[in-house]
Amino acid sequence: MRHVKMFGTFILAVGLSLFISCGKSSSGTPTMVGCNPISVDSCFLPFPSFYYLVKDTSTATGWRVNYPSGVLPVNNKGVPLDPSPFNHADGFSPASQILAYFTEGVLPASLPSINDIGASISPTSPIQIIDFTTGTRVPLFAEVDANAQPGQRQGLIIRPMVRLNTSTRYVVVILNTVKAANGTPLQAPVPFIYLRDKIATSNPAVEGIRQHYEGLFSFLSANGISRSSIALAWDFTTASDSFITGHLISMRDQALAMTPSVGIDYTFTTITPSPDAYLYKELIGTFSAPTFLDSNNYLVTDTTTGQPEYVGEAGYNIVVHIPACITQTTTKLPIPIMIFGHGLFGTAESEMQSGFEESFTNQLCMVQIGTDWIGLSTLDFPDAILAVQDFNNFRKITDRLQQAQVNVVVMTKLALGALRSDPNMQYKGNPIIGNKIYYYGDSDGGIQGGTFMGIDPDVIRGVLGVPGSTWSIMMQRSYDFGKLSSLFDTAYPDPLDRLILISLSQYFWDFSDPISFAPHILLNPLAGTPKKQILIQAGLNDCQVPNLSTEVLARTMGVTALSPLPISIFGIPLGNAPLASAFTLWNVPDSSVYVPPTTNTMPAKDNNVHEDVRRLPETIQQDALFFTEGTVQQTCLATNGCMYLSPTSLSY
C-alpha cells in the first residue's frame, strides 16, 4: 500500500507540473481560469465538452454553453475570439467536428478509417461516439490535421458521418488502441488518469468532475468498454432543434405575416426583349422584403434570447428570365417557375446570364427567377476576407445567409402572386407564369437550396446540384477555400487554433446550414412546411464540394440512393427507379483525371467535376422528368455507374 501511495504522490506531482502548462491558452495568453481540467495538452480541448455547459432551466435542453474569456483563440493582432455569441446556445452544434490534442501526436493508421466508416460503430472501434440514452454508436472517421507542419500542434479530428441528434447527450471515447505518432501506446492525460484510475488529488478542478466521470465510466462499462482501456473520454449535449432552426422559422413566419398587409413591392429597372436566342425577355430590378439586419449587416437579436428581430423593409435584387420557348406554337401557357440558386461568391444575374443557364431554362421551358444568396455572393467576398483574419467578424457572413433565406421565401411569394399578373409577364394577352413552381440550384445554390427546401411553404420539388452540408467539413477540403486559406493561416498561425475556429464556426453556420434542416425535408417537416421531394446530383471526386459533405447530408436527410452507384457508400440505402426523392452520384471522365486528397487539405487543383455534372444531357433529362413527372428516373443505363463523354464538348 505504501508503494501505491508513493506512486500516486509521484503521479500527482508530475501531473500538477503538467497541469500548470494549461496556464496558457492555445494562443499563448496566460490564464488558469477556465481550462478544461481533463487535458493538459490544450487549455480548451477536447471539444465540445460538458465542462463548458451550465445548467439553465430556461432553455429547451436545460443547459447553456458557457465559454469564459481567455480560452478561445487569439489572432496575430492579439484580438481574442469573443465567447459571448456562443453562450446563447442551449448545447453544442449537432454537426460539431470533434477535436482532441495530444502533445505526442497520433498515428493515423491507428484511427477509424475514412475508407471503412461502418467499422466505427463496432464496440471495438478505437474511437467511438455513443448516445448516452440509447447506447447507439455514431458512424465516424478520425484523422490528424494534415495542415500541421513539423513542430506545430497537430490536432486529432473526429468527424461524425451523420448529423447528431438534437437535445442529446453523447459520450466520446478514445481507446488505448490508438497509438502515439511514434507507434507506442497513446498516453492518457495525467488529470484523466487521476479520474480513470481513482487517484485522489488536491486539485479542485479535477475533483469537481470526479463524480460526473464515475457516471461516464459506468455507462461505458455497460456498453462493453472497460475503464482501463480508455485513453480519454468525455461527454457533451447537443443543442435543441428549436434553438438551431428557430432563427429561420421565426424570421420566415414574421416575414410572411407581414407580406399580405404591406404587400411585396418590386420594380424592374431594366427590361430587355430577346437578349439572345434562348430568352424571350430578361427583367432585372429589386423587390422589398422584411429585413432583420442592421446598418452594419448583422442580425438584430434579442439580448436575452438571441432571436432575430424585425428591423424594417429593404430592397434586394431580382432577375427574371422568360425563355424563348414560349413563342413556339407547341408551348402551352402558362409555364412553370424555377427558383434559381447561384454558386459561391457569384450573383443571380451573372450566372443566369451564362449560356448554360439560359439554354437550360429554355430547354425545360420554365421562367427562371433568382436573387443573390447574400452572405456568400460576390459583394460578400471582402467580408469573408475580414472574417478569416478576425473570427469575430464571421457572424456577418452567416447572419446575411439567414436574411438571404427570408429573401428567397418572399421572392417565391412574389413569383406566385403579383408577378403572374404583371403586364411584362404576358404573351399575346396570355399569362406566362403558372402556379407550378420548383427549385434548382448548383454549388452554393445546391447548399442553400437544401435549407430553403426545409423552410419554404410553397416549393415542393427541388434539385440540389453538387450540394454539400456541414461547412466545418467543407472548408478545408474545398478548392474554393484556397482564396482565403493563406490569409487565415497568417492571422492564426497555429494550426490547432485554426481547427478550433473552424469547429466553432459550425455554431454560426448551423442557423442556415442544410444539415440543420435535413431531418425535416423528407421525414419530419417543420411547422408551416410540407414534406418535399429532393433530387441530389453529386459528382464523384468533386474538388469544390467534397463528397463527404454531400453524403452526410444524404444520410441525415434519410434519402435513398438511386441504383447503381459507381462506388459503395456506407449508410445510404440503394433503390431502383422510379423514386420520389433520390441521391445520385455521377461518374464523369474528370472524376479520374485528378482525385482530391482524402485528408483535410485543399485539392491542388480543380478537376472540373463540380461543373461537369450539371451540363450532362443525362442530368438535364433527369431534372426535366423529376419536375414534370414527380419521380427520379435512371437516365444513365451504364452497369458500372454513370460514365459519359466529356461534357466540355457541349455547346452551352
Side-chain angles (χ1 to χ4, degrees), residues 513-572:
D513 195 316
I515 201 65
S516 300
F517 299 86
H520 304 292
I521 296 174
L522 303 180
L523 302 176
N524 183 27
L526 293 165
T529 312
K531 288 185 179 181
K532 305 299 176 73
Q533 290 179 262
I534 297 293
L535 168 57
I536 296 174
Q537 294 174 328
L540 182 64
N541 294 329
D542 190 330
C543 286
Q544 293 189 42
V545 174
N547 291 157
L548 279 176
S549 67
T550 314
E551 292 161 12
V552 169
L553 177 66
R555 287 190 199 96
T556 304
M557 192 183 295
V559 69
T560 299
L562 182 63
S563 180
L565 288 179
I567 60 171
S568 176
I569 301 176
F570 171 82
I572 303 178

Side-chain angles (χ1 to χ4, degrees), residues 351-628:
E351 293 197 22
M352 288 172 65
Q353 288 176 345
S354 71
F356 169 74
E357 282 302 329
E358 291 184 357
S359 173
F360 177 68
T361 303
N362 189 50
Q363 189 172 346
L364 270 61
C365 204
M366 297 181 182
V367 176
Q368 191 176 59
I369 303 177
T371 186
D372 290 352
W373 284 117
I374 63 169
L376 289 174
S377 69
T378 300
L379 294 178
D380 294 294
F381 191 68
D383 286 334
I385 291 174
L386 294 175
V388 297
Q389 295 179 96
D390 179 356
F391 250 60
N392 289 297
N393 298 315
F394 199 88
R395 185 168 62 88
K396 182 179 287 189
I397 296 172
T398 53
D399 282 6
R400 280 171 59 78
L401 282 175
Q402 293 171 67
Q403 179 65 47
Q405 292 287 340
V406 173
N407 296 347
V408 180
V409 169
V410 171
M411 185 184 72
T412 300
K413 287 290 187 185
L414 175 63
L416 289 169
L419 285 188
R420 296 170 69 185
S421 58
D422 189 304
N424 290 297
M425 307 294 171
Q426 305 282 317
Y427 179 70
K428 294 184 176 181
N430 297 309
I432 296 171
I433 296 179
N435 57 9
K436 293 180 179 179
I437 188 165
Y438 310 112
Y439 179 85
Y440 177 87
D442 274 300
S443 191
D444 187 50
I447 296 168
Q448 304 306 325
T451 302
F452 171 73
M453 292 301 292
I455 67 168
D456 186 74
D458 297 308
V459 182
I460 302 298
R461 293 179 204 155
V463 173
L464 310 182
V466 286
S469 70
T470 319
W471 285 92
S472 52
I473 291 178
M474 289 192 283
M475 287 173 70
Q476 289 184 316
R477 282 181 148 84
S478 171
Y479 179 75
D480 292 333
F481 191 60
K483 302 170 184 176
L484 300 167
S485 60
S486 60
L487 295 172
F488 187 35
D489 293 356
T490 300
Y492 296 94
D494 179 4
L496 190 61
D497 276 352
R498 296 197 296 270
L499 282 184
I500 291 171
L501 290 168
I502 290 172
S503 294
L504 286 169
S505 76
Q506 192 61 48
Y507 165 81
F508 296 116
W509 291 119
D510 271 351
F511 298 116
S512 60
D513 195 316
I515 201 65
S516 300
F517 299 86
H520 304 292
I521 296 174
L522 303 180
L523 302 176
N524 183 27
L526 293 165
T529 312
K531 288 185 179 181
K532 305 299 176 73
Q533 290 179 262
I534 297 293
L535 168 57
I536 296 174
Q537 294 174 328
L540 182 64
N541 294 329
D542 190 330
C543 286
Q544 293 189 42
V545 174
N547 291 157
L548 279 176
S549 67
T550 314
E551 292 161 12
V552 169
L553 177 66
R555 287 190 199 96
T556 304
M557 192 183 295
V559 69
T560 299
L562 182 63
S563 180
L565 288 179
I567 60 171
S568 176
I569 301 176
F570 171 82
I572 303 178
L574 280 172
N576 294 318
L579 295 172
S581 295
F583 164 84
T584 65
L585 184 62
W586 299 81
N587 183 16
V588 299
D590 283 330
S591 296
S592 58
V593 169
Y594 172 75
V595 177
T598 58
T599 57
N600 67 318
T601 48
M602 184 182 67
K605 60 182 180 180
D606 184 15
N607 57 15
N608 295 319
V609 168
H610 193 71
E611 185 64 28
D612 289 348
V613 173
R614 76 190 76 181
R615 296 173 180 269
L616 292 170
E618 291 83 356
T619 58
I620 295 172
Q621 181 188 12
Q622 192 177 66
D623 297 335
L625 291 170
F626 178 63
F627 288 142
T628 59

Side-chain angles (χ1 to χ4, degrees), residues 272-284 319-327 349 352-363 366-368:
T272 307
S274 303
D276 53 49
Y278 297 125
L279 297 183
Y280 169 72
K281 191 182 293 183
E282 178 185 69
L283 304 97
I284 299 174
V319 181
V320 179
H321 278 180
I322 302 174
C325 65
I326 67 165
T327 63
E349 181 177 344
M352 288 172 65
Q353 288 176 345
S354 71
F356 169 74
E357 282 302 329
E358 291 184 357
S359 173
F360 177 68
T361 303
N362 189 50
Q363 189 172 346
M366 297 181 182
V367 176
Q368 191 176 59

Side-chain angles (χ1 to χ4, degrees), residues 195-214:
L195 298 169
R196 184 193 65 191
D197 297 350
K198 299 183 178 181
I199 300 172
T201 78
S202 59
N203 189 301
V206 173
E207 295 305 318
I209 60 175
R210 187 176 293 279
Q211 184 176 357
H212 179 91
Y213 261 89
E214 284 304 309

Side-chain angles (χ1 to χ4, degrees), residues 21-27 31 33-53 65-73 81 83 86-87 92 97 99-101 153 234 496-497 499-505:
S21 71
C22 191
K24 290 189 177 182
S25 73
S26 56
S27 60
T31 174
V33 177
C35 287
N36 192 327
I38 68 166
S39 173
V40 296
D41 292 341
S42 168
C43 174
F44 183 64
L45 300 183
F47 169 86
S49 171
F50 77 97
Y51 188 70
Y52 293 113
L53 290 174
V65 172
N66 185 36
Y67 296 137
S69 298
V71 301
L72 301 183
L81 180 61
F86 303 96
N87 292 345
F92 300 102
Q97 304 307 293
L99 303 178
Y101 175 67
R153 299 194 299 169
W234 71 97
L496 190 61
D497 276 352
L499 282 184
I500 291 171
L501 290 168
I502 290 172
S503 294
L504 286 169
S505 76

